[in-house]
Amino acid sequence: IGSQVQPQVELSRALHAFRLGDYTRADQLLSSARMRFEGDAPPAVWSHFASLVAAARDDADQAQALLEEGIRTHPSVGILHANYAGLMLTRGALTAAAAAVERGMLHAANMAPFQKTVGDLAFRVARFDDAIEAYQRAVRLEPALGPDVYLKLGELRYQRGEVSEAQRCWQRVLELDPGNRQAEVSLDAVRRAS
């Protein structure tokens, strides 16, 4: 048991360092944990956080390589597909992002971050109705997902002429992120226009 516990302890320490924003320490601990898995593939949670640490350190190539390896090793783990699709979208690789979304639907469809990525992809390719549907699925799954999804929902609702819905979305942004300048400007513009 002692040899199996050690990599898990290192992994736990790495997650703590990651949450504190100490990405250098998290990276060191993740590397140590990986070596201690003694030839076994690291668990999916290792791949997940190692890719997040790489991305946080502005190493998108490393994040991509870690996610690709993690998906090969753990093909049914939804968060890896969600992260990969999001990374490809961030990198502007829309075709790769679309393919990752397609593959991820089997394993990550019930995950709010995945649905947000689906919405972001639809938004980027001007499929606005699909974007709204995906964003709504995301916030149903996780109402406090983050201000970005509500900003986009507000923008899309406003473009459709659904002003009161847009205002509700922007108010939600301010609940999640008080003082969010973009939401304040949008709400002010609507107030001035009415």
Side-chain angles (χ1 to χ4, degrees):
I1 286 187
S3 66
Q4 288 184 358
V5 172
Q6 187 60 30
Q8 302 302 339
V9 170
E10 295 278 57
L11 182 57
S12 178
R13 290 178 180 153
L15 301 184
H16 181 69
F18 174 79
R19 289 186 178 115
L20 292 175
D22 188 349
Y23 305 129
T24 300
R25 181 74 178 137
D27 190 42
Q28 293 166 346
L29 290 164
L30 286 163
S31 294
S32 177
R34 183 174 188 141
M35 289 187 299
R36 293 174 196 254
F37 282 110
E38 299 175 4
D40 292 335
V45 68
W46 182 93
S47 298
H48 170 64
F49 279 102
S51 68
L52 291 179
V53 167
R57 296 184 76 198
D58 294 323
D59 190 346
D61 291 337
Q62 178 68 11
Q64 182 175 339
L66 289 164
L67 286 167
E68 288 170 350
E69 176 188 18
I71 288 169
R72 278 192 305 276
T73 307
H74 307 285
S76 64
V77 176
I79 193 66
L80 298 178
H81 292 281
N83 289 355
Y84 189 78
L87 178 64
M88 293 298 95
L89 186 60
T90 300
R91 297 190 88 178
L94 299 183
T95 302
V101 162
E102 180 93 13
R103 286 188 308 274
M105 281 296 181
L106 293 173
H107 308 291
N110 64 342
M111 298 177 67
F114 182 75
Q115 289 299 331
K116 183 192 174 301
T117 299
V118 171
D120 289 345
L121 178 61
F123 189 89
R124 289 273 298 270
V125 298
R127 292 178 45 199
F128 300 124
D129 289 341
D130 293 340
I132 287 174
E133 289 176 21
Y135 289 145
Q136 287 176 324
R137 285 191 302 270
V139 298
R140 273 194 305 273
L141 290 165
E142 192 176 323
L145 183 60
D148 180 58
V149 69
Y150 289 101
L151 280 169
K152 288 179 180 163
L153 269 172
E155 181 181 332
L156 292 166
R157 293 292 191 187
Y158 188 77
Q159 288 175 2
R160 282 181 152 186
E162 300 170 4
V163 177
S164 62
E165 281 297 314
Q167 287 176 302
R168 276 195 280 281
C169 290
W170 293 324
Q171 286 294 338
R172 182 67 175 136
V173 170
L174 294 174
E175 291 170 14
L176 295 170
D177 182 16
N180 182 292
R181 187 72 182 129
Q182 195 172 352
E184 289 174 344
V185 167
S186 296
L187 285 167
D188 188 52
V190 169
R191 283 186 206 111
R192 281 187 277 123
S194 53

